[in-house]
Amino acid sequence: VMTAHSFALPLVLFSAFWGLVGIAAPWFVPKGPNRGVIITMLVTTAVCCYLFWLIAILAQANPLFGPQLKNETIWYVRFLWE
Amino acid sequence: MGSLFRSEEVCLAQLFLQSASAYSCVSELGERGLLEFRDLNPKVSAFQRRFVGEVRRCEEMEKTFTFLQQELREAGRVLAPCPDNPRAPLAREALRVQEQSEQLAQELREVSRNRASLRGRLRDLRQYLHVLRESRRFTSLPAPLGSPPRSRALSEREPLLDPSLHQHLDRKINFVAGVIHPWRVSAFERLLWRACRGYLVASFVEMPEPMEDPTTGESITWVIFVISYWGEQIGQKIRKISDCFHCHVYPYPESEATREDTLSGLHSQIQDLSVVLEETEQYLAQVLDKVVLALPTWRVQVQKMKAIYLILNQCSFDVTEKCLIAEVWCPVKDLTQVQDALRQGSYKSGSSVECFVQRIPTSESPPTLIRTNKFTAGFQSIVDAYGVASYQEVNPAPYAIITFPFIFAIMFGDVGHGLLMFLFALWMVLYEDRPSLRQASNEIWLMFFEGRYLILLMGAFSIYTGFIYNECFSRATAIFPSAWSVAAMANHSSWSSAYLATHPVLTLDPNVTGVFRGPYPFGIDPIWSLAINHLNFLNSFKMKMSVVLGIVHMAFGVILGIFNHVHFRQWHRLVLEFLPEMIFLLALFGYLVFLIFFKWIKFSAANSLVAPSILIHFIDMFLFTSNADNLPLYEGQVPVQTVLVVLALASVPVLLLGTPLYLWCQQRSLRTSQPTLVASREQEPLLEGQEAGNSVNATKEDVESGGHSPDAKHLDLAELFMHQAIHTIEYCLGCVSNTASYLRLWALSLAHAQLSEVLWSMVMRSGFVGLRYVGGVVLVPVFAAFAVLTVAILLVMEGLSAFLHALRLHWVEFQNKFYVGSGYKLCPFTFTPDHWE
């Protein structure tokens, strides 16, 4: 498979998704005694999960070294995966 | 946000209760569970309190109830829990309960006694019956002149009846008949033979049916004996011996006719007695029925009554002795409810004067009240386990609802394990109303059950982090195609099969075009799970991730302190504490985060050989040195770093001296206007008395200890400097050590990944070796072993370990940035259903 992974597309998609969860959704939480707690939960979840994903993708964006594979693995991946 | 953000406002109030309606008012308040009563008579012993008589009466009633319950348990009846919620009884009702319960207890005692004696009598009669019946065999035949039939006493050693005794045979033969315990038979025989050798004939036979032993209650097969003897002295000896051996001896009628009469008489007696016994048992059952019906309600009622009197004991009487005064901690929101309850109580007791509540000012710190629901209660409890929030300080619980499961999930990240945990918690949540789950007696199960929402969130976040780490039971999944192309590398470096055969390990070089095709969009690339050097990459990734998340978490903690400073109107702390703390943290560790992100973005495989080491740069920053081998990350790095370090160092003395100096200046300006203040103080003794927070019963002497004036402030200032110095040192050193402490996120996630990897490759993979049908059968026990070890080691042990470390990170690294936690909980007076056995 020869598709290249873009960096911009996932960045936009996930930023939009977690932005929806953390910034837009709090406006739609129904009024009630638990409104504050639910909003806190939404914002905290969005921040934590987005940050975690961002660290994972940034750490791989510009790799300084590549994977070291066994010769069996190389043979298998080359002729069966690609 | 409601009271989860910070604890509710609680005030000190006084209740003025009319003596007549005090009981029903406290009963109403207890039903609603709003207030915490304070003990106004702490120095009075339990025996000298006002309502000690009533309390003692309640305790007597409870003793009666315990007796009744014991009787029920002996009869094998089960006591059901109280169906409805009865209120505390008024005086007349209480009296009725006491009388009825004592009457029932008395009846029960009598009936039990009767039954016991009837049973004993019946047993005796039955034994007598058996004795007569069995012994018929020995004595219905003519008196033995020769060998007596089935006589065990005459064994081989003893010859048949001595011919020399023939002459005595015309004397009268007497009998002793009775029953003896089977274990004593041989000793009895031996003793009889030694004592009365030859002058008796003893026969033993077992009773056909076993009967109860009155002393031990177990069922024993008794042995009936009949001893025929002649001679008065022998008879006496025999009787003494049978007494020694605790035999039941029964009068043995001589002639056949009397025997028959006695037998029939016994039969009729036994029948009559059985009828009487049955009726007694029925009556006993009736009494027990009555007890079962009434006891649960009584117990609840008397328990409530006793609780109310214990509370009333804590109140004090005012001078006119007509009114009880109680001091309570009351949430401000509930004051109207309290007034309502008092009104209801006064109405119920039929008094015309209403009781009322009055708020009083206090300088004592009120208790903390945070209202939670079934979801937030678990999270609040793990925060409270470290320390209950001080009055109205910011509560870390609403943030911990998400950050705690998230930090747990970083250390536990695995889709498969997370899914198992999530499903287990989901089962507990969906069936949480089942009493079998809720009221189990196993403490460990109850702990898991109480934390079911916590475990649910932990499992959910673990699934997410599992996807990011790309681990499902330690196997990676290629949701998207991998970003690394082996074919491109192989084509570029011409890796033929022969070449591969001679080189066991080869590396993919990202510098070659087409080998690396962009970052994997969601999580860690699956190629790394196949790579030998995967730990090199993962360790770097996880360590940097831990540091970044740790610094963000700690910065959030410092920011939460703002809310405390604003709420308590300590504006100086915003400038003199929050600002230097934030500058110190961000200038040093925020810059570290920036360096990490910068290196990720700016440096790639093209300049990988000269890529600088962040760690060396960071160390050089502190030491103001530079390393020639370590290239700068960006232009002008050294001056920027110098400025940041100077800024951070400058904030330390501000933090150390700022607040104490400010307070000292403030106090000095107050002291210049001191004389007027002293005068105004003396003019308002009444307010002072209550301001000191003492109770109504405090004397003048207690009040005076409250006003120390300037000398005390001086001492306080030294204390303040000391406290601030400790805080500064703790904060600055803590920043460094806590950042390093967050590296446990990396350590535990590495341990978890390695453990599950080992489990897979050593256990599960050995089940895939055989590829025939036999292999399929072998796979079943192998999977069983894999499943058991997964649950035991990876879910339970690793789960508990990650839970503990996440807890520590919250309690120490996060909370010591803003949380004091030296409060105490509001424990309202309420009637809790106690432990019913």
Side-chain angles (χ1 to χ4, degrees):
Chain A
V1 183
M2 295 305 247
T3 53
H5 294 299
S6 76
F7 181 57
L9 184 61
L11 188 64
V12 167
L13 276 178
F14 280 99
S15 308
F17 174 71
W18 290 115
L20 221 71
V21 169
I23 305 176
W27 294 105
F28 296 99
V29 177
K31 282 210 204 312
N34 297 321
R35 184 158 202 257
V37 176
I38 297 180
I39 292 180
T40 311
M41 282 171 67
L42 284 172
V43 173
T44 327
T45 312
V47 168
C48 288
C49 295
Y50 179 64
L51 192 58
F52 197 60
W53 168 83
L54 189 67
I55 293 173
I57 196 169
L58 281 179
Q60 296 178 100
N62 298 310
L64 295 177
F65 60 91
Q68 212 178 34
L69 300 169
K70 283 203 296 221
N71 51 2
E72 297 168 355
T73 319
I74 295 175
W75 188 93
Y76 183 91
V77 169
R78 175 166 181 205
F79 290 108
L80 278 132
W81 269 16
E82 304 181 39
Chain B
M1 174 183 310
S3 74
L4 201 61
F5 180 60
R6 60 160 43 97
S7 63
E8 273 188 30
E9 207 186 335
V10 170
C11 66
L12 192 64
Q14 274 181 338
L15 301 178
F16 292 89
L17 305 167
Q18 265 268 310
S19 303
S21 50
Y23 180 85
S24 49
C25 284
V26 176
S27 165
E28 274 293 328
L29 288 172
E31 293 288 333
R32 297 186 198 207
L34 301 164
L35 315 167
E36 180 180 342
F37 282 84
R38 290 178 71 170
D39 194 355
L40 293 174
N41 311 316
K43 301 198 183 71
V44 180
S45 80
F47 303 110
Q48 293 166 339
R49 301 219 183 195
R50 195 160 270 268
F51 296 96
V52 65
E54 278 83 355
V55 173
R56 212 171 272 161
R57 207 162 62 131
C58 293
E59 282 176 354
E60 274 172 23
M61 278 199 266
E62 280 182 345
K63 265 191 228 150
T64 319
F65 295 158
T66 321
F67 167 71
L68 289 174
Q69 205 178 357
Q70 260 177 353
E71 291 292 316
L72 278 180
R73 209 178 304 144
E74 268 171 32
R77 302 281 201 106
V78 167
L79 200 60
C82 195
D84 57 353
N85 193 13
R87 307 193 78 114
L90 301 167
R92 295 173 258 113
E93 265 183 72
L95 204 59
R96 188 174 57 89
V97 166
Q98 191 177 16
E99 281 172 6
Q100 277 187 345
S101 65
E102 278 176 6
Q103 191 189 29
L104 271 181
Q106 188 66 20
E107 266 184 49
L108 209 57
R109 259 183 236 126
E110 269 186 47
V111 173
S112 304
R113 226 192 340 240
N114 284 348
R115 187 176 72 152
S117 68
L118 282 174
R119 273 208 184 143
R121 183 110 179 82
L122 190 65
R123 191 174 37 242
D124 274 342
L125 289 176
R126 281 230 186 96
Q127 280 181 348
Y128 197 7
L129 189 70
H130 281 296
V131 167
L132 284 182
R133 267 212 216 122
E134 296 305 317
S135 55
R136 232 191 278 185
R137 308 186 219 180
F138 308 132
T139 49
S140 57
L141 304 165
L145 290 172
S147 53
R150 279 193 242 119
S151 170
R152 285 162 56 206
L154 301 182
S155 52
E156 297 82 49
R157 32 194 156 103
E158 159 102 4
L160 300 172
L161 221 52
D162 205 327
S164 61
L165 296 170
H166 273 266
Q167 62 220 113
H168 300 289
L169 283 179
D170 53 341
R171 286 205 200 161
K172 191 157 165 283
I173 297 181
N174 298 316
F175 296 95
V176 171
V179 170
I180 186 174
H181 196 285
W183 296 347
R184 303 195 190 112
V185 169
S186 41
F188 187 50
E189 269 190 78
R190 241 176 295 139
L191 194 54
L192 279 176
W193 182 74
R194 285 206 191 114
C196 324
R197 114 189 20 227
Y199 287 94
L200 59 80
V201 172
S203 338
F204 296 84
V205 74
E206 274 189 3
M207 230 198 264
E209 57 165 12
M211 235 184 243
E212 220 182 59
D213 180 358
T215 41
T216 58
E218 37 177 274
S219 204
I220 306 174
T221 332
W222 298 88
V223 172
I224 302 172
F225 63 89
V226 177
I227 306 177
S228 36
Y229 64 94
W230 41 101
E232 203 43 52
Q233 282 168 336
I234 305 280
Q236 279 176 10
K237 269 195 216 167
I238 295 178
R239 276 181 218 278
K240 272 202 198 126
I241 295 174
S242 17
D243 265 341
C244 271
F245 279 84
H246 303 288
C247 308
H248 297 284
V249 174
Y250 296 100
Y252 195 75
E254 293 292 330
S255 64
E256 195 63 33
T258 12
R259 275 203 288 273
E260 293 301 321
D261 280 341
T262 327
L263 264 177
S264 48
L266 277 178
H267 273 297
S268 58
Q269 271 186 347
I270 289 178
Q271 250 193 350
D272 290 339
L273 207 58
S274 308
V275 168
V276 174
L277 191 60
E278 219 185 281
E279 284 183 6
T280 316
E281 300 262 3
Q282 265 185 10
Y283 183 60
L284 184 66
Q286 275 181 4
V287 174
L288 287 175
D289 279 337
K290 273 194 254 172
V291 173
V292 165
L293 220 59
L295 193 58
T297 321
W298 287 348
R299 281 184 76 162
V300 174
Q301 284 182 320
V302 169
Q303 218 184 30
K304 288 194 182 180
M305 194 162 111
K306 186 166 162 197
I308 295 179
Y309 277 117
L310 288 175
I311 291 288
L312 286 178
N313 270 341
Q314 291 181 356
C315 308
S316 72
F317 270 85
D318 80 334
V319 259
T320 62
E321 294 273 334
K322 287 243 183 70
C323 181
L324 274 165
I325 303 181
E327 240 181 53
V328 294
W329 289 114
C330 178
V332 171
K333 265 197 230 161
D334 292 337
L335 271 176
T336 39
Q337 263 207 16
V338 169
Q339 189 65 52
D340 193 46
L342 289 178
R343 202 175 303 131
Q344 287 239 345
S346 313
Y347 173 69
K348 282 213 174 110
S349 69
S351 96
S352 53
V353 181
E354 268 196 14
C355 312
F356 61 96
V357 58
Q358 187 194 32
R359 194 172 160 172
I360 53 178
T362 174
S363 67
E364 258 184 59
S365 184
T368 313
L369 172 67
I370 298 180
R371 293 190 218 256
T372 55
N373 55 25
K374 69 181 178 187
F375 176 70
T376 54
F379 302 97
Q380 186 65 49
S381 70
I382 59 176
V383 170
D384 285 343
Y386 180 71
V388 176
S390 301
Y391 180 60
Q392 292 220 306
E393 74 164 340
V394 156
N395 180 22
Y399 319 103
I401 297 180
I402 296 291
T403 57
F404 180 82
F406 179 66
I407 292 202
F408 171 88
I410 297 179
M411 295 188 268
F412 195 75
D414 188 301
V415 173
H417 303 150
L419 191 64
L420 288 176
M421 199 179 252
F422 181 77
L423 290 175
F424 171 60
L426 193 65
W427 168 72
M428 278 199 288
V429 167
L430 289 178
Y431 291 104
E432 67 185 356
D433 290 324
R434 268 212 215 144
S436 57
L437 288 183
R438 213 168 249 280
Q439 285 150 17
S441 50
N442 191 349
E443 266 187 41
I444 297 188
W445 162 257
L446 275 180
M447 255 197 312
F448 279 111
F449 184 72
E450 300 273 315
R452 57 196 182 278
Y453 288 104
L454 189 58
I455 301 178
L456 190 73
L457 285 182
M458 277 159 38
F461 274 101
S462 298
I463 299 178
Y464 178 76
T465 54
F467 273 119
I468 301 267
Y469 286 153
N470 214 343
E471 291 215 355
C472 177
F473 292 111
S474 86
R475 300 290 92 203
T477 50
I479 305 176
F480 301 95
S482 172
W484 294 82
S485 165
V486 174
M489 187 71 190
N491 289 337
H492 174 263
S493 308
S494 38
W495 287 349
S496 63
S497 299
Y499 188 77
L500 286 180
T502 49
H503 288 82
V505 171
L506 289 164
T507 313
L508 296 180
D509 185 0
N511 269 323
V512 174
T513 44
V515 174
F516 174 67
R517 296 181 312 224
Y520 194 72
F522 186 65
I524 304 287
D525 201 299
I527 194 85
W528 289 108
S529 71
L530 300 171
I532 298 176
N533 62 345
H534 71 288
L535 279 182
N536 283 8
F537 169 70
L538 278 180
N539 282 349
S540 161
F541 157 66
K542 285 185 180 176
M543 284 172 112
K544 291 179 178 174
M545 165 206 69
S546 312
V547 166
V548 170
L549 289 176
I551 294 172
V552 169
H553 201 206
M554 289 196 290
F556 178 54
V558 177
I559 290 176
L560 281 182
I562 299 181
F563 295 106
N564 277 339
H565 300 325
V566 168
H567 179 84
F568 293 113
R569 305 202 189 288
Q570 294 169 322
W571 311 104
H572 62 276
R573 288 184 75 177
L574 268 184
V575 177
L576 297 171
E577 278 190 28
F578 166 71
L579 217 52
E581 281 179 357
M582 209 58 187
I583 290 177
F584 185 84
L585 185 66
L586 289 183
L588 297 177
F589 297 97
Y591 179 66
L592 179 61
V593 171
F594 163 74
L595 284 181
I596 292 175
F597 277 95
F598 188 81
K599 185 175 171 189
W600 274 338
I601 297 176
K602 263 302 196 159
F603 286 82
S604 68
N607 41 14
S608 63
L609 287 172
V610 295
S613 155
I614 297 180
L615 199 57
I616 309 275
H617 272 299
F618 200 57
I619 295 174
D620 287 342
M621 182 168 123
F622 282 106
L623 299 177
F624 291 108
T625 56
S626 67
N627 208 331
D629 293 333
N630 213 10
L631 292 180
L633 279 155
Y634 56 91
E635 268 205 31
Q637 182 175 0
V638 174
V640 168
Q641 284 182 179
T642 321
V643 169
L644 286 174
V645 173
V646 166
L647 212 59
L649 288 178
S651 65
V652 173
V654 177
L655 185 59
L656 178 66
L657 300 169
T659 311
L661 280 177
Y662 173 80
L663 288 175
W664 185 50
C665 289
Q666 196 188 44
Q667 191 220 311
R668 262 221 324 225
S669 59
L670 268 181
R671 222 190 294 166
T672 52
S673 53
Q674 189 71 329
T676 46
L677 216 66
V678 171
S680 59
R681 271 196 184 191
E682 282 175 0
Q683 282 164 11
E684 329 179 37
L686 282 173
L687 282 180
E688 276 293 329
Q690 299 195 321
E691 203 153 49
N694 295 326
S695 70
V696 163
N697 290 333
T699 55
K700 257 303 197 174
E701 288 85 46
D702 296 335
V703 170
E704 270 168 346
S705 62
H708 266 153
S709 66
D711 288 341
K713 275 292 168 95
H714 237 284
L715 284 173
D716 283 344
L717 217 53
E719 229 183 86
L720 196 58
F721 270 107
M722 178 74 76
H723 176 88
Q724 197 66 17
I726 294 176
H727 175 79
T728 308
I729 296 176
E730 205 181 19
Y731 180 79
C732 297
L733 290 182
C735 272
V736 182
S737 80
N738 293 348
T739 308
S741 181
Y742 274 94
L743 283 172
R744 71 186 67 219
L745 295 174
W746 156 64
L748 264 97
S749 81
L750 179 67
H752 188 92
Q754 292 298 93
L755 265 177
S756 54
E757 168 84 44
V758 159
L759 207 58
W760 176 272
S761 55
M762 301 243 160
V763 177
M764 195 65 188
R765 222 177 28 195
S766 50
F768 296 135
V769 171
L771 292 174
R772 304 200 169 283
Y773 288 112
V774 179
V777 173
V778 164
L779 192 57
V780 175
V782 167
F783 176 72
F786 174 72
V788 165
L789 286 173
T790 299
V791 171
I793 297 181
L794 289 172
L795 285 184
V796 173
M797 191 186 84
E798 277 286 313
L800 283 174
S801 171
F803 182 92
L804 178 79
H805 285 282
L807 207 57
R808 180 256 156 66
L809 283 177
H810 273 76
W811 282 354
V812 178
E813 274 77 17
F814 174 58
Q815 284 181 196
N816 73 3
K817 301 287 178 292
F818 69 99
Y819 192 60
V820 176
S822 58
Y824 60 108
K825 272 202 196 172
L826 180 82
C827 305
F829 168 60
T830 176
F831 300 120
T832 43
D834 222 350
H835 36 260
W836 309 117
E837 296 102 334

